[in-house]
Amino acid sequence: MDATTSNGTLQLHSIPENPSYLCLKRQCLGNSAPGDFFLASCPSIALHILTTCDLSPRDLAKLEATCSFFRKPANFSPDFELSISEVAALDICQKRAIFKCAGEEERQEMKRKCGGSWKLVLKFLKAGELGCRRERSQALAGPGHSIAVTSNGVVYSFGSNGSGQLGQGTTEDTWQPKPVRSLNGIRIIQAAIGGERTMLISDAGEVYAFGKDCFSEAGLEAQETKVITSPQRVKSLTEIFVVQAAIGNYFTAVLSREGRVYTLSWGKDERLGHQTDVNCVLPQPLLGALENIPVVQISAGFCYLLALAYQPTGMSVYSVGCGLGGKLGHGSATSEKQPRLIEQFSVLNLEPVMVSAGTWHAAVVGRDGRVCTWGWGRFGCLGHGTEELEMAPKVVEGLKDVKAVHVAAGDYATFVVSDDGQVYSFGCSESANLGQDDGDVDEITLTPKLVSSLKETKERVVHVSLTNSVKWRGHTFAMTESGTLYAFGTGDRGQLGVELGDNLTEREEPAKVVGVDLS
């Protein structure tokens, strides 16, 4: 069936010649007499509305629960037994780049792992998009350099470039955002940024990297470091459809489309979930508890990894790596060679929906908007009013009146974004990277404090990124709903994307970054 509009023709699903749906009645407003409700006779129109509105899995489930029309077989190919809500969920899934190019066998396997429903697959995909803004515009504040990705998949880079980490084909620093032109024709949906290296993920699941090609560090047995100045396809990952990457200090982690986590180049004595040689640069799947549980988001700290796992009954967090300071969240400083479930969230009755691994501490946002932090508490980066460490997740009481939707942890600093677009920060403001303009460069913030300078912009902030490295003074990006990007903190290498005054190395007040459109 076709429905013609002023904008063209909408292709809708075919309707059976003799639909068996009952002709329902509805009561019209005012004095009008009751009339026929034709939606039941035209299920394709109903399906079009559900798909166009991009409803959530929960909304689709509620429709099925409250109206028999939405849970009866829809008689649409290829599976005539699927309900309209299930077909709508499948159609919404197909709008996602990572799902659209999957084969039928891969789709069915994803459906099986997610619990046997397309609504649950949609929930799985949306959960992954929430954590890392996959397929949406984003700006990342790395150690000395910055990367911005538009919703159309265009990549801009600026800042320090001594190892070619800007991907511009040179090793010259850049003070203004410039597009990475060698990626023309390739749509990037996600980026990861680390010390002198950058990784980009395309909508085809391909991984491109530039900058340092390995983690060379004093005391590590590693191959000779090479400098790559233009994006190159990572050959070792060609057999894996990658949807997210995370870079720690000595390792890289990638997440596959089906929710499997792989790690590369760990070094020293740790293997981060597998038992390979210290110099192995091939991707190795995480063993243990996550072998059969799909993961929707990964986040890397200095020497540890967090994984947000998906199950039909709810989300959970697993951690692996170095446990010093309690940053693995298990109530001790014990390191873990394989992923281990953080059990404290069950005690707190909190379902995690987003994780952020800072250098030495971590944070989580719950479905109910609560924020938990744990790990090293130096400079008050946990927001609990002290500098004491916490070995298990603890709710930040200073945010009890705030419903959080986003959290970002860096090097002894943390940012939280509320559902009304307000931004709170706490921790170390040594480089003005907290946005707290109080005139004291060395001030620490022990409890969450509103970033009033961002409130004055009169724009709703949706995402924050800050430097997550011990080797660089930090800078921070705040992106608004309109796609405007604001920057503050250290900018001596051009990493803010804004000009600084004479003899200045940092900026306390947020400045608008021009030259890149993230709308």
Side-chain angles (χ1 to χ4, degrees), residues 65-373:
T66 56
C67 181
S68 61
F69 169 70
F70 289 103
R71 59 177 179 265
K72 287 181 178 179
N75 292 318
F76 289 143
S77 63
D79 189 340
F80 292 94
E81 295 302 313
L82 290 180
S83 67
I84 285 184
S85 298
E86 274 288 280
V87 178
L90 177 57
D91 284 357
I92 297 172
C93 286
Q94 292 185 49
K95 293 181 179 180
R96 273 67 185 169
I98 68 170
F99 186 89
K100 185 184 300 183
C101 58
E104 183 59 27
E105 185 175 334
E106 294 170 308
R107 293 183 180 186
Q108 292 298 329
E109 178 62 15
M110 191 180 299
K111 182 180 179 182
R112 184 192 67 79
K113 284 188 174 182
C114 290
S117 165
W118 292 121
K119 292 190 292 295
L120 294 177
V121 173
L122 179 59
K123 182 179 178 182
F124 170 76
L125 295 176
K126 281 181 171 286
E129 294 164 3
L130 175 66
C132 61
R133 295 190 63 83
R134 189 171 63 219
E135 297 191 54
R136 292 185 289 174
S137 55
Q138 56 190 270
L140 303 180
H145 73 292
S146 305
I147 297 290
V149 182
T150 72
S151 58
N152 294 325
V154 179
V155 179
Y156 291 79
S157 61
F158 46 103
S160 176
N161 193 34
S163 296
Q165 60 265 41
L166 298 186
Q168 301 288 353
T170 72
T171 55
E172 297 178 359
D173 294 355
T174 299
W175 285 73
Q176 293 182 337
K178 290 185 178 180
V180 182
R181 301 193 182 280
S182 61
L183 290 169
N184 285 350
I186 300 173
R187 182 180 176 230
I188 300 302
I189 63 171
Q190 204 267 330
I193 196 165
E196 299 180 80
R197 60 191 282 114
T198 305
M199 298 181 76
L200 305 173
I201 315 298
S202 77
D203 60 357
E206 301 169 338
V207 182
Y208 297 85
F210 39 98
K212 281 187 177 181
D213 71 337
C214 73
F215 300 93
S216 59
E217 192 77 17
L220 280 180
E221 299 177 21
Q223 61 188 29
E224 181 182 353
T225 303
K226 297 179 181 179
V227 170
I228 300 171
T229 61
S230 295
Q232 289 187 8
R233 179 89 181 271
V234 180
K235 295 180 180 179
S236 63
L237 294 171
T238 54
E239 299 301 317
I240 302 172
F241 193 108
V242 176
V243 297
Q244 190 198 349
I247 303 176
N249 195 63
Y250 300 121
F251 71 97
T252 298
V254 297
L255 178 64
S256 72
R257 174 168 53 192
E258 65 273 15
R260 195 76 183 270
V261 182
Y262 299 80
T263 59
L264 307 84
S265 301
W266 178 250
K268 283 191 174 178
D269 296 326
E270 303 287 350
R271 303 292 187 276
L272 208 62
H274 51 80
Q275 302 296 322
T276 59
D277 180 80
V278 294
N279 291 320
C280 179
V281 295
L282 298 177
Q284 302 292 333
L286 281 183
L287 304 176
L290 289 178
E291 290 185 59
N292 296 305
I293 301 176
V295 170
V296 297
Q297 183 205 349
I298 53 177
S299 186
F302 185 85
C303 52
Y304 71 106
L305 181 73
L306 297 180
L308 180 63
Y310 168 87
Q311 290 176 295
T313 54
M315 310 282 247
S316 54
V317 180
Y318 290 76
S319 60
V320 62
C322 175
L324 289 178
K327 56 186 177 289
L328 295 187
H330 303 304
S332 72
T334 304
S335 297
E336 300 289 342
K337 292 185 178 295
Q338 292 188 355
R340 179 181 171 187
L341 174 68
I342 299 179
E343 299 177 353
Q344 183 66 12
F345 294 116
S346 295
V347 177
L348 297 172
N349 193 28
L350 182 146
E351 182 186 0
V353 294
M354 176 183 296
V355 298
S356 181
T359 308
W360 310 111
H361 74 290
V364 151
V365 172
R367 188 171 299 280
D368 59 5
R370 285 183 291 169
V371 175
C372 288
T373 58

Side-chain angles (χ1 to χ4, degrees), residues 380-493:
C381 62
L382 300 183
H384 299 310
T386 73
E387 294 188 60
E388 299 296 320
L389 61 82
E390 296 288 343
M391 292 193 176
K394 180 179 179 180
V395 175
V396 180
E397 292 298 329
L399 294 169
K400 63 181 180 180
D401 297 324
V402 174
K403 184 175 182 181
V405 294
H406 173 75
V407 66
D411 180 29
Y412 296 124
T414 308
F415 280 80
V416 173
V417 180
S418 67
D419 60 347
D420 60 355
Q422 302 298 322
V423 181
Y424 300 81
S425 65
F426 42 97
C428 179
S429 59
E430 182 180 6
S431 304
N433 60 306
L434 285 188
Q436 305 291 356
D437 184 16
D438 292 324
D440 188 349
V441 175
D442 295 320
E443 184 180 0
I444 63 176
T445 302
L446 297 176
T447 56
K449 184 177 180 181
L450 182 68
V451 182
S452 57
S453 54
L454 284 172
K455 186 176 182 179
E456 292 171 2
T457 65
K458 301 186 184 305
E459 292 194 77
R460 181 175 178 270
V461 175
V462 296
H463 185 261
V464 172
S465 175
L466 70 161
T467 303
N468 190 3
S469 172
V470 298
K471 299 179 181 178
W472 290 81
R473 298 175 68 195
H475 68 292
T476 304
F477 289 131
M479 188 175 69
T480 68
E481 195 171 32
S482 67
T484 304
L485 186 63
Y486 292 91
F488 48 94
T490 301
D492 58 330
R493 301 295 292 274

